[in-house]
Amino acid sequence: MLFEEAPRSPEVLARLHEMEQFAVTMVAGLLDNHPAVTVTDNTLSAPIVVAAVESLVHRLMTAHDPAQPEALEDENVLLLGCYLNGATTTSRTTSHDPRTQ
């Protein structure tokens, strides 16, 4: 179900859009001032970051078998860090997979 399709009053939907725009504005400011960020269009990158975090956290934390919060946080940092600083390779220093511990 899309954000706009969920049953909500117009006032609640407007408030949610305001909150989302506030988050995008704050993230854009962080991207503009962070020395490791190499993306060139923070006006586009900020809503991509906000949408990615919202979507991944919502989907994976509400799943039948939800992700472990710390592991999801680490994966989000890895994903968005690579996107924002142009990294093409990564190394993992920790694992949240209980099978490997």
Side-chain angles (χ1 to χ4, degrees), residues 8 57 60 63-64 68 73 82 101:
R8 297 183 182 99
V57 169
L60 298 175
H64 175 69
Q68 293 298 312
E73 178 183 357
C82 289
Q101 296 179 358

Side-chain angles (χ1 to χ4, degrees), residues 63-82:
H64 175 69
D65 183 21
Q68 293 298 312
E70 298 85 8
L72 181 55
E73 178 183 357
D74 290 347
E75 293 301 310
N76 269 313
V77 169
L78 179 64
L79 172 74
L80 295 171
C82 289

